[in-house]
Amino acid sequence: MSDFPIFDGHNDTLLNLHLEHRGNGRSFFERSDIGHIDLPRAREGGLAGGFFAVFTPNRRRPLTKKEKKAAFKGIKMTKDGYEVPLPKPIRHKDALRFTTAVATHLFEIERASEGEVKIVRTAEELEHCLKNGTFATIFHIEGAEAIDTNYDALHILHAAGLRSLGLVWSRPTKFGYGVPFSFPKSPDIGPGLTKKGKGLVRTCNELRVLIDLSHLNEQGFWDVAKISDAPLVATHSNAHTLCPSPRNLTDKQLDAIKETGGMVGINFHTGFLRRDGRFKETTSLIEIGRHLTYIADRIGIEHVGFGSDFDGATMPDDLVDVTGLPKLIEALRQAGLDDDALQKVTHQNWVRVLRQTWGE
């Protein structure tokens, strides 16, 4: 596995570590059976680093029985799938407070690691980590609720190490509109970016912050494509043709990503892999290979990598957690990927697109 250090486009491990009811107070430095990533399991599975998302959930405590019942009632089963309402917007001050707390957890991990973990800010730092075995993390924010409409917080967070930002999660913000988790559905839902959202794209370009298109609706995608001078990147999305979730990308969107030199991180969540959109653990690793090879065949192997969604989604039971990554590499070999292709999808493509975006 040392020949293929794996760099991953998305995980929710910080939230899992930060919230007691999600992670049971587990440590990033101790092996656990809870969640999907800790440093010992990452070493075992060949994970060399990834985008560590800071995400503000609508609820930051366990649901009561009454709340669980109400949430379940909000999901409507249909003939072909399900309809899930969009979560409510989150106030800026609440998101900023929570984002600061969770991001602090990442900086504490770096400090406590005594050199084993590094928050990378340049492509050169990332390459160095991949070569010498330092676990590389990117400070990423999923959903821009913590950013004010003057973008002051963006400048401060960038100075602290922020290098990637998702304009939305699957809920509306002052900047744009996310897609629901309904199935089957097109991502062409609702209006595009707001005026402030377009300004946020320009400011991210100025600061060389990667703009993550996952969760953004289709019109918002095209707004970013018109404005941005950086590669188009969806850190954790799949092919809509193979799984018609609004979280996945249409062929036209994939073609636009290729034109800009961008890339797609394949999401391992079963509901974004399966043709029926079901959250079933009994899902073959072949499904991950199916999406990866489809996108590679359409836009080139240089434009696809991993975007697992570890610690935030339902994983195939053949994978289970990060220790299952060698099984995925073998499944991709069986799907026809040679060593050169595996080098690209496991890490080289991420290094390239980050160098193009960050300019360093």
Side-chain angles (χ1 to χ4, degrees), residues 1-210:
M1 284 298 295
S2 60
D3 291 336
F4 306 108
I6 297 169
F7 192 78
D8 184 44
H10 188 88
N11 70 62
D12 286 299
T13 301
L14 290 175
L15 188 65
N16 194 282
L17 295 171
H18 186 76
L19 293 179
E20 178 73 23
H21 70 278
R22 284 182 60 130
N24 241 7
R26 69 187 180 96
S27 166
F28 185 69
F29 299 105
E30 296 177 3
R31 187 183 182 90
S32 173
D33 293 328
I34 299 171
H36 297 142
I37 298 177
D38 51 50
L39 191 57
R41 282 185 288 174
R43 299 296 195 201
E44 180 181 336
L47 182 69
F51 288 64
F52 275 63
V54 176
F55 168 67
T56 303
N58 283 76
R59 295 187 181 276
R60 282 145 256 175
R61 56 170 176 76
L63 293 175
T64 65
K65 289 184 179 179
K66 184 178 180 180
E67 288 168 338
K68 286 182 180 179
K69 187 175 181 180
F72 182 77
K73 282 185 176 180
I75 301 173
K76 179 183 177 183
M77 302 306 295
T78 65
K79 179 182 177 182
D80 299 319
Y82 42 86
E83 291 283 342
V84 181
L86 285 173
K88 294 180 180 179
I90 288 182
R91 294 188 302 176
H92 164 67
K93 66 178 184 179
D94 292 337
L96 182 58
R97 185 184 302 115
F98 190 79
T99 295
T100 301
V102 178
T104 297
H105 207 127
L106 178 60
F107 285 94
E108 289 173 347
I109 288 172
E110 181 186 45
R111 183 170 60 251
S113 75
E114 298 181 344
E116 280 200 77
V117 178
K118 181 175 178 57
I119 301 170
V120 297
R121 295 166 172 81
T122 68
E124 183 179 352
E125 287 180 345
L126 174 56
E127 279 195 304
H128 182 73
C129 288
L130 292 174
K131 288 176 181 177
N132 70 18
T134 302
F135 192 81
T137 67
I138 291 175
F139 174 14
H140 166 77
I141 294 178
E142 183 175 28
E145 288 92 346
I147 309 301
D148 58 281
T149 52
N150 290 325
Y151 317 127
D152 294 338
L154 178 62
H155 285 272
I156 293 169
L157 290 164
H158 174 263
L162 179 71
R163 290 297 180 271
S164 177
L165 176 69
L167 302 182
V168 297
W169 181 67
S170 287
R171 61 191 170 210
T173 71
K174 293 179 180 178
F175 306 112
Y177 303 87
V179 294
F181 291 102
S182 303
F183 183 93
K185 193 173 285 290
S186 165
D188 188 11
I189 302 167
L193 300 183
T194 64
K195 182 177 180 181
K196 288 296 183 179
K198 294 175 181 178
L200 180 56
V201 170
R202 295 185 182 98
T203 306
C204 284
N205 281 173
E206 291 169 7
L207 294 174
R208 311 304 287 267
V209 171
L210 183 143

Side-chain angles (χ1 to χ4, degrees), residues 317-337:
D317 57 11
D318 283 344
L319 193 65
V320 180
D321 61 18
V322 68
T323 62
L325 287 172
K327 295 180 183 178
L328 176 59
I329 297 300
E330 182 56 32
L332 294 177
R333 279 194 185 281
Q334 295 298 319
L337 273 67

Side-chain angles (χ1 to χ4, degrees), residues 241-274:
T241 296
L242 301 183
C243 172
S245 165
R247 275 283 283 104
N248 288 339
L249 300 160
T250 66
D251 288 349
K252 188 176 179 182
Q253 288 175 302
L254 293 173
D255 293 343
I257 287 170
K258 176 184 179 178
E259 289 174 9
T260 66
M263 67 175 290
V264 179
I266 297 298
N267 195 316
F268 300 168
H269 173 49
T270 61
F272 303 151
L273 291 169
R274 299 171 58 96

Side-chain angles (χ1 to χ4, degrees), residues 291-308:
H291 281 265
L292 191 148
T293 55
Y294 177 86
I295 293 175
D297 288 345
R298 184 170 184 94
I299 65 175
I301 195 69
E302 297 81 9
H303 302 287
V304 64
F306 296 155
S308 70

